[in-house]
Amino acid sequence: MGCSNCGSRTSREEEVLCRIKLSIKSDNPINLKELISLFSYYTGHKVEEFINEKILRVKKKYLNLLSYAVWSGSKNCFEYLIKNYEASFYLMEQFLDKDACEPLSRICKKGYIDLLEVFYPKHLEYQKALKSKQDESYTIDFSFVVHSLEIQLTPIQHAVRNGHMRIVKYFDKFYEGEEAPNEVKLHYIDEFSGENCALVACQTGNLSIVKALYEEYNADFHVINKRKEGAFQIIATESKYNESLEYLECLMYLTDVVKVDITYMYEETLLLLENKVFIKFIEGRLKEKGILTSKKELENLFKIKKSPIKPKDLKDFNINIEEISRIIPFSAESEFQSDPITFKEPKEEIVLF
């Protein structure tokens, strides 16, 4: 089913569609009923012919009425369209998925808790039906696989990132005593990013969210992601773009209460930090651990390490790796080889006439 009703329209039809959008956005099902009847009259189409069609333009996309109700977080209109017009939940999910607007993620990201309570049970039925359909077919939907790779956060991680703890509480209660699906599991570690809800909370610098996750749900803040970053490196990175003191409060809370290892990759943490107050705090805590260092010392040290040895210098002195090791301590991780370093003169080009 495509967008067969998205062709040229009269000014009256366009006006009614604008009013339908406004009615759904304001979650007013009473006005919606009258406007749907009016659109049917102007177009000459029966309601069942267009109720599931993508007739509402939203930015560069077209949505059907039920999709727009989900997009807008309109619980009353969502229920009204399904109950009174038998709007298809299945088609709504399909349309939004194909447009890379996965509905559950949208609801969690925006914090539409009232809509979630009526949407989620239907979503589970849809997922069950979809799985049953896929089991009957041996065809692999590669477009679905690619789309899933593009999603960087799970729905519940979207909720955490945007501070919607009521969403987190809903899923925790919904699956009380049961194993929740990964998309709404608080402790799930994403297989691509290696991050869980705890690390996502660190990105926000929202202390109340960090505390709630740890104290109410025992979230694991000791996780290391795929980039080898822990909670402190994530906070240090984010604080470069937002110098809110809440990031410092998060650092203090994770250090003193959660007991996250402050010595893990402490050099990177200090090098990433730019706020002097943050730097002083980390340096002080490291000193308590017996690590006497500073951001300034590390910057000077890394400048020396990054200074390249020019090939010209090596050629002039014709030194080999044994001689280099007297200047630069050899380690198992060194890229230098034990063979002497030699430089070949460029060969003359032979031109064939």
Side-chain angles (χ1 to χ4, degrees):
M1 186 175 293
C3 189
S4 59
N5 290 306
C6 294
S8 59
R9 302 191 187 284
T10 66
S11 58
R12 283 183 176 180
E13 291 169 2
E14 290 291 353
E15 182 184 351
V16 174
L17 287 178
C18 287
R19 291 171 64 188
I20 286 175
K21 283 177 63 178
L22 184 61
S23 180
I24 293 175
K25 194 169 185 178
S26 59
D27 204 12
N28 188 339
I30 297 175
N31 284 352
L32 184 59
K33 178 182 178 181
E34 297 175 358
L35 292 168
I36 289 175
S37 297
L38 191 59
F39 186 74
S40 175
Y41 173 76
Y42 282 143
T43 60
H45 291 289
K46 294 180 180 179
V47 174
E48 56 266 27
E49 292 177 353
F50 65 79
I51 195 66
N52 290 312
E53 291 289 336
K54 296 192 281 186
I55 58 176
L56 299 179
R57 184 177 176 84
V58 182
K59 296 182 179 179
K60 295 182 179 181
K61 302 179 186 296
Y62 279 96
L63 303 178
N64 65 14
L65 273 62
L66 193 61
S67 298
Y68 189 66
V70 171
W71 184 263
S72 304
S74 303
K75 173 197 171 185
N76 294 327
C77 286
F78 175 84
E79 290 184 301
Y80 181 80
L81 287 167
I82 292 176
K83 181 180 179 180
N84 293 276
Y85 296 102
E86 297 183 352
S88 172
F89 187 92
Y90 184 88
L91 286 175
M92 177 273 296
E93 285 257 24
Q94 270 197 332
F95 288 157
L96 288 177
D97 277 339
K98 286 181 180 179
D99 287 336
C101 304
E102 201 277 315
L104 184 59
S105 290
R106 170 77 180 182
I107 291 170
C108 292
K109 185 177 182 178
K110 292 294 182 179
Y112 296 148
I113 183 63
D114 293 335
L115 175 60
L116 179 65
E117 291 172 350
V118 296
F119 172 91
Y120 192 63
K122 294 182 181 297
H123 173 74
L124 291 179
E125 292 175 8
Y126 166 78
Q127 293 281 59
K128 186 177 180 180
L130 193 64
K131 186 178 184 304
S132 177
K133 187 177 179 180
Q134 288 174 343
D135 288 343
E136 292 173 4
S137 172
Y138 294 97
T139 304
I140 299 175
D141 185 359
F142 288 101
S143 63
F144 175 80
V145 175
V146 172
H147 173 57
S148 66
L149 287 172
E150 293 174 351
I151 299 174
Q152 297 179 352
L153 297 177
T154 63
I156 197 168
Q157 287 176 347
H158 275 299
V160 169
R161 185 174 181 82
N162 291 278
H164 303 307
M165 289 305 295
R166 290 179 66 193
I167 300 284
V168 174
K169 187 175 182 179
Y170 170 81
F171 287 123
D172 181 67
K173 188 175 181 180
F174 190 93
Y175 287 103
E176 190 173 6
E178 299 179 36
E179 183 75 10
N182 289 338
E183 63 180 2
V184 297
K185 186 188 296 183
L186 184 69
H187 304 292
Y188 171 68
I189 298 176
D190 185 81
E191 59 182 307
F192 300 110
S193 67
E195 296 188 353
N196 60 357
C197 284
L199 292 189
V200 171
C202 291
Q203 296 171 14
T204 69
N206 190 325
L207 181 61
S208 61
I209 299 297
V210 169
K211 290 180 70 174
L213 288 178
Y214 181 70
E215 295 174 11
E216 296 178 32
Y217 302 102
N218 197 29
D220 186 1
F221 285 88
H222 302 274
V223 170
I224 305 299
N225 67 20
K226 295 290 186 179
R227 296 185 298 275
K228 306 300 181 184
E229 297 170 330
F232 292 126
Q233 289 76 50
I234 289 173
I235 290 175
T237 300
E238 295 297 328
S239 68
K240 293 171 68 175
Y241 310 103
N242 184 346
E243 293 191 357
S244 168
L245 286 179
E246 264 205 294
Y247 281 105
L248 176 59
E249 292 175 328
C250 287
L251 283 174
M252 296 171 70
Y253 181 80
L254 292 174
T255 304
D256 300 334
V257 179
V258 185
K259 306 297 182 184
V260 175
D261 183 11
I262 199 170
T263 65
Y264 173 74
M265 290 183 68
Y266 67 87
E267 300 99 331
E268 182 177 343
T269 304
L270 281 173
L271 290 170
L272 284 169
L273 287 171
E274 294 180 355
N275 187 297
K276 292 181 180 179
V277 179
F278 292 23
I279 294 168
K280 187 175 180 180
F281 169 77
I282 295 294
E283 289 175 349
R285 286 294 192 271
L286 288 172
K287 186 177 180 180
E288 293 174 5
K289 297 283 186 179
I291 300 175
L292 303 178
T293 188
S294 68
K295 178 181 173 70
K296 188 174 182 180
E297 288 177 1
L298 289 172
E299 285 178 333
N300 291 333
L301 178 63
F302 276 86
K303 280 180 183 177
I304 294 172
K305 285 186 176 181
K306 289 180 180 179
S307 297
I309 299 175
K310 298 178 181 179
K312 182 178 179 297
D313 297 333
L314 296 177
K315 185 175 181 180
D316 290 342
F317 292 100
N318 194 26
I319 57 177
N320 57 28
I321 191 61
E322 284 77 12
E323 291 170 320
I324 294 175
S325 64
R326 297 173 192 168
I327 304 170
I328 304 175
F330 179 80
S331 70
E333 297 178 353
S334 174
E335 295 180 0
F336 291 108
Q337 304 297 320
S338 58
D339 296 331
I341 298 174
T342 58
F343 295 85
K344 296 180 180 179
E345 295 295 333
K347 294 181 180 180
E348 293 184 3
E349 292 186 1
I350 301 175
V351 182
L352 298 176
F353 294 96

